Every structure is written in C-alpha cells, then in structure tokens.
Amino acid sequence: MQQKSLAILNSSSSFDRTQGRDALDIALIFGSYEQRVALFFQGEGVRQLVNRQQADIIQAKDYLATFSALPFYDVEEIYVCQHSLTDRALTTDFHLDNVSVLSAGDFAKKLQQFDMVLRF
Amino acid sequence: MSTLHLMRTSAYQQNDLTQCLDLLQANDAIVLLDDGCYNLSHHLLTANISNPIYHINEHAIARAMLDQKKISQAITLAELPALFFTFDKVITWQ
C-alpha cells in the first residue's frame, strides 16, 4: 500500500494557545511510524523558529526545545515562507539548522506535493 | 477622560491594533502584552505615535522581541495594576 505524505502547516505564533505544541506532537508521532511528514511555517507560525526565545520567563512549556528531536524521527523537511519572514522583519536566525526558506510561490508548490495537510 | 489600551494580539494576525489606533485620544496610552509584543516591530506602531507605549518586559523577552523596543517603555507585570489607576478607564483588546 503506497504511503500517504503529511504536511503540517504552522500558522500560529509560539505561545498562541497550544497550536505549536500540538503540531510538533503530531509530527513526531507520524515520524515515529516512518510516515513522510514535513513541517511548513507561514504567517505568525514563522515565529516558532526564531532563536533565543525564553518560554520559562512566562512559565510556558519550552516545547521549542523539542524541535531538535525531529531528525531522530526522520522529520527532516522543514520549510518556511520568506514573505512571512520579510513581513515581520525577521532574519533566518533560527534555533533549527536544516530549514529551507522558500519564496511564497515555491512554498505553495511544495505544499501541493503532499497528500494531506493539517493546519495549526 | 483618558483610556489605557491593553493590546494582547499581534497586528500581523488580527486588526485589533488598527481599530485601537482609530480610537486613540491624546491622553490615552497603550500597553503591549502577550502576542501584542510582536507589535513592537509593526509599522503601525513604529510610525510616529506620540502616545506613551509600554510593553510587559517578560512577555517581550520570552518572544525574543529584544532589539525593537526603542518605541516602548518596559514595565513588569507587577507594575501594571498601578498604571490602571492613572487612567479613567481600561480597554482590553484580545
């Protein structure tokens, strides 16, 4: 049976309810079942990648640190929308290494390649 | 009459800040809390606004909003209640 691929589209900022944390959990679960899963970051979602965030200061769970576990679950496709970064005057100083920065058009085309999309 | 506007949302996500600025009067002030701290880098606030702007320091640091704080004065969450009493009323934007 041909495996389905999953794209997780993050559009919420780091501490906006539990959106980011739930998205990461789903990615790790699918990864542990060796499904092809990729993370996409758009709009306010790009803020989850920003370096030097400090969740402990506001007594929030530092789920951002868990992003470093992604490679162990074979989740290595991480895409971020350049337009969303530029809109927010954000650089590519991320707390993750293997992030692909795509133009808005390429970002949309890449997302199109996946069988299922979950948006958070 | 003076109003303290508590802004908890990001202008990159919602238009609360735009509506707030439409209502802003000379004696009003704005406090940025939670995701409202992302407005520190938004052109709506960086464009010259003469009203006082404050931000909750812990909330800005948590979000790595570190070097865009020139337009705003940092206060702690503990200092916020005292600020309430220097205004006639408070509006929360969330």
Side-chain angles (χ1 to χ4, degrees):
Chain A
M1 190 182 85
Q2 202 256 340
Q3 282 207 339
K4 297 280 186 187
S5 56
L6 170 67
I8 294 175
L9 180 55
N10 279 284
S11 56
S12 301
S13 57
S14 313
F15 306 113
D16 180 3
R17 295 157 292 163
T18 62
Q19 308 297 85
R21 206 168 59 190
D22 295 346
L24 183 57
D25 288 346
I26 298 280
L28 295 175
I29 290 168
F30 270 78
S32 65
Y33 281 94
E34 293 170 3
Q35 302 273 316
R36 179 189 176 197
V37 54
L39 288 170
F40 287 76
F41 294 88
Q42 181 192 37
E44 287 289 86
V46 303
R47 296 191 187 276
Q48 292 184 39
L49 298 176
V50 169
N51 208 2
R52 285 189 300 282
Q53 296 183 73
Q54 299 173 49
D56 53 311
I57 277 191
I58 53 171
Q59 294 81 44
K61 176 172 169 53
D62 188 11
Y63 73 94
L64 299 175
T66 315
F67 274 94
S68 53
L70 286 168
F72 302 115
Y73 290 79
D74 297 331
V75 179
E76 291 170 347
E77 293 179 78
I78 300 174
Y79 305 105
V80 65
C81 172
Q82 173 64 63
H83 178 67
S84 301
L85 290 174
T86 310
D87 248 9
R88 290 160 179 75
L90 292 174
T91 68
T92 52
D93 178 17
F94 301 140
H95 59 81
L96 281 185
D97 296 331
N98 52 341
V99 178
S100 308
V101 180
L102 302 179
S103 69
D106 290 345
F107 186 88
K109 286 194 194 82
K110 179 61 75 174
L111 188 66
Q112 198 72 24
Q113 295 170 13
F114 287 79
D115 300 314
M116 297 176 295
V117 178
L118 292 178
R119 181 172 185 270
F120 288 86
Chain B
M1 287 290 279
S2 61
T3 303
L4 184 65
H5 299 268
L6 303 182
M7 183 57 59
R8 296 191 64 216
T9 61
S10 160
Y12 296 98
Q13 183 90 347
Q14 286 152 262
N15 62 357
D16 297 348
L17 181 58
T18 305
Q19 292 171 22
C20 169
L21 296 179
D22 290 345
L23 301 180
L24 206 61
Q25 300 298 301
N27 301 324
D28 294 359
I30 300 172
V31 179
L32 305 174
L33 307 94
D34 300 319
D35 278 7
C37 291
Y38 291 131
N39 296 316
L40 287 167
S41 66
H42 196 278
H43 63 81
L44 281 175
L45 277 195
T46 50
N48 40 40
I49 287 183
S50 54
N51 297 70
I53 301 173
Y54 303 90
H55 66 272
I56 304 297
N57 203 38
E58 305 99 297
H59 296 184
I61 293 175
R63 290 162 174 82
M65 292 298 289
L66 306 171
D67 46 10
Q68 293 107 344
K69 296 190 276 185
K70 304 175 217 45
I71 60 164
S72 176
Q73 180 189 331
I75 61 174
T76 65
L77 212 49
E79 291 167 336
L80 185 56
L83 199 55
F84 289 165
F85 295 106
T86 59
F87 290 84
D88 298 310
K89 62 174 175 286
V90 177
I91 298 178
T92 302
W93 298 84
Q94 57 186 358

